[in-house]
Amino acid sequence: MSTENEGNEGTAAEAVPSVPSAPPVPADAPQGPPESTPASAPDAPVYPQAPNTAAAQQSPPAQQPYPPTEEPATATTPMASVPGTPPPGLQSAAEANWPPPPPAVPAYAHHGAGGGGTGPVWGAPAQLASPEGPRKRGMGGLVAAVAAAALIAGGIGGALGYWAADRNDSSNGSTTVAASANPQDLKREPGTVAGVAAKALPSVVTIDAQGGDGEGGTGTGFVYDKEGHILTNNHVVASAANSGQLTATFSNGKKYDAEVVGRAKGYDVAVLKLKNPPSGLAPLTLGNSDQVAVGDSTIAIGAPFGLSNTVTTGIISAKNRPVASGDGSGGSNSYMSALQTDASINPGNSGGPLLDARGAVIGINSAIQSTGSSAGQTQAGSIGLGFAIPINQAANVAQQLIKTGQPVYPVIGATVAMDERTGGAAIPDQGTGGTAAVAKDGPADRAGLKAGDVITKFNDTVIDSGPTLIGEIWTHKPGDRVTLTYKRDGKTATAEVTLGERKGDS
């Protein structure tokens, strides 16, 4: 759409009188005192003047509807487009039946043809006043006076609109309307993703772990309490836990040195402590992962591939998903009964919070399922299968690590085969290193379990492998009573087991 000022100039055929650019005023229209011609302002629109016809020459100056000017009868009107523009060519005004455009009329001041802009605003061309003989005074003069008043009002409205647009053009170079820049107008509602992210981001840190041998990586953590404890994954800090350097960078760019308070390899949980924590730390609110339902909204925050403060969204796509993962250093595996989400999680998201729609932490992002690395790549990306440690379990582990510096694991006192999808967790004939598969006087032994039994259910959860059983056991605490369903010699039986404990990582 053009914003240039367009001018229409043309000369009517000599045999046809020129059509007025404004409706002529009858000779007996109401008289008014003569007015002086106002000085033209730079921003004021130029009104079209009455044609130089015989009737106009005989009319007194006070009867002219527009201020007379000394310029020719053509007018320049700013416009984007004009409905009903005459076709090109040498066509007289009488032949085209097309009057020149009137002054700009605002949309709310339309007459006759309506607001659609498809019909002529001026109506049919008025007949020129005859110089011969007096005319009868009647409705014609009143109609002409009302039409002149309406056109003048429309011209004033058009002038004001043009002045405002011209001022906008001169200051901004555009006639577009800018949105308000008031900060209050940019606030997001607390329940929106933007609102949750804005509140949570200041409490999420990017962890840089550099080992003494030069190895390291980037992960994520979040503020656990006001004392400066940071909750994250063990595999994020494993390379720098003994003789490396750890730093935590907040979303405002401030960086702090950190040290390991405790690690739980089996749970894949670690707690760091900022060496000089800033004042005003805001711990993230912890939710209840036992109340999470499939389909609940999720928000993941982390530093995928080193891109700090990245926010992704999704849903809980499954619960109690058995997951086994390594710590990245070739050590022992960790096991979890995980929350599965389709929120985009990639390397670097590990240790970051998985939030619910209210902004409460329901899990720690820990692992992803991928199709494998491509040639030349060492890490694969998200395919929509991410796994998080339920926060109820992670919080219990964190409290133990802060209190004692070492983890405490619930156990049944029996070794199970780690083959997956074997129809259950089978107790082998012998344990690791030739030890007994069922510890003497341990929880399983006291419940009557023996080598060769296959555990198929843990409470109401179906067990299809050893890792699934371990993940379920570790969602509980030592001293909890659970029900094990198992098969022996083709028969199904149940046993009540009180979970024992094991301190530290073996």
Side-chain angles (χ1 to χ4, degrees):
M1 181 175 64
S2 172
T3 58
E4 296 178 357
N5 293 339
E6 298 176 4
N8 292 324
E9 298 181 357
T11 304
E14 296 180 359
V16 181
S18 59
V19 178
S21 58
V25 179
D28 55 355
Q31 301 294 321
E35 296 179 359
S36 60
T37 302
S40 61
D43 291 338
V46 181
Y47 292 91
Q49 59 183 352
N52 187 17
T53 62
Q57 290 172 357
Q58 293 179 7
S59 301
Q63 295 174 347
Q64 295 180 5
Y66 299 102
T69 65
E70 298 179 358
E71 299 295 329
T74 58
T76 300
T77 304
M79 67 187 78
S81 61
V82 179
T85 303
L90 299 177
Q91 187 178 23
S92 68
E95 293 171 339
N97 195 23
W98 178 83
V105 180
Y108 55 81
H110 56 271
H111 317 286
T118 58
V121 177
W122 292 70
Q127 296 294 328
L128 298 180
S130 171
E132 299 177 359
R135 297 178 58 185
K136 292 184 179 180
R137 189 180 302 273
M139 292 301 292
L142 177 59
V143 172
V146 172
L151 291 170
I152 292 173
I156 293 173
L160 293 176
Y162 173 68
W163 177 82
D166 185 67
R167 288 291 298 270
N168 195 26
D169 276 340
S170 61
S171 60
N172 299 328
S174 173
T175 58
T176 57
V177 179
S180 173
N182 189 338
Q184 293 181 352
D185 296 337
L186 301 178
K187 288 185 178 179
R188 304 297 191 268
E189 293 297 327
T192 64
V193 174
V196 170
K199 184 177 180 180
L201 277 168
S203 300
V204 179
V205 298
T206 299
I207 298 173
D208 183 43
Q210 296 297 327
D213 55 1
E215 294 185 1
T218 300
T220 308
F222 60 92
V223 177
Y224 180 73
D225 57 28
K226 294 183 178 181
E227 286 69 41
H229 289 108
I230 304 295
L231 194 54
T232 186
N233 284 142
N234 170 66
H235 75 261
V236 169
V237 302
S239 62
N242 297 321
S243 60
Q245 182 179 8
L246 291 167
T247 59
T249 304
F250 284 81
S251 60
N252 59 8
K254 294 184 178 180
K255 183 179 296 186
Y256 299 87
D257 291 333
E259 59 186 355
V260 175
V261 172
R263 298 189 296 144
K265 296 179 181 179
Y267 294 121
D268 197 18
V269 173
V271 176
L272 308 182
K273 176 75 182 300
L274 302 179
K275 292 183 178 179
N276 295 296
S279 60
L281 287 174
L284 290 182
T285 301
L286 303 185
N288 186 347
S289 53
D290 290 340
Q291 296 179 349
V292 171
V294 172
D296 282 350
S297 297
T298 58
I299 302 171
I301 302 180
F305 299 103
L307 301 174
S308 300
N309 309 315
T310 295
V311 178
T312 56
T313 62
I315 62 169
I316 294 292
S317 50
K319 294 178 61 178
N320 304 319
R321 186 71 75 193
V323 175
S325 62
D327 62 5
S329 62
S332 60
N333 287 337
S334 59
Y335 303 95
M336 67 186 87
S337 182
L339 298 174
Q340 180 180 308
T341 180
D342 66 348
S344 181
I345 297 176
N346 288 284
N349 275 108
S350 293
L354 184 67
L355 309 174
D356 62 14
R358 303 171 302 163
V361 182
I362 55 175
I364 301 178
N365 301 318
S366 299
I368 61 172
Q369 179 71 44
S370 67
T371 58
S373 301
S374 301
Q377 296 180 341
T378 58
Q379 293 178 324
S382 172
I383 60 171
L385 293 174
F387 306 99
I389 303 169
I391 194 59
N392 289 9
Q393 175 184 344
N396 291 335
V397 176
Q399 292 171 6
Q400 285 291 334
L401 294 177
I402 293 172
K403 183 178 179 180
T404 66
Q406 61 179 349
V408 176
Y409 297 94
V411 295
I412 63 172
T415 301
V416 294
M418 300 309 292
D419 296 335
E420 297 185 5
R421 306 294 184 267
T422 58
I427 301 176
D429 293 335
Q430 289 185 334
T432 304
T435 61
V438 177
K440 187 177 181 179
D441 294 330
D445 186 32
R446 291 193 294 267
L449 292 172
K450 298 180 179 180
D453 291 344
V454 179
I455 300 172
T456 57
K457 292 183 70 175
F458 181 93
N459 290 333
D460 293 328
T461 302
V462 175
I463 303 300
D464 58 3
S465 66
T468 302
L469 176 63
I470 295 174
E472 286 298 320
I473 292 172
W474 286 356
T475 62
H476 290 72
K477 298 179 182 178
D480 288 350
R481 290 184 61 85
V482 299
T483 300
L484 298 181
T485 301
Y486 63 95
K487 289 183 178 180
R488 178 187 298 169
D489 298 331
K491 297 180 180 180
T492 299
T494 60
E496 296 293 324
V497 178
T498 300
L499 299 177
E501 69 174 27
R502 187 192 80 208
K503 293 183 179 180
D505 287 309
S506 57

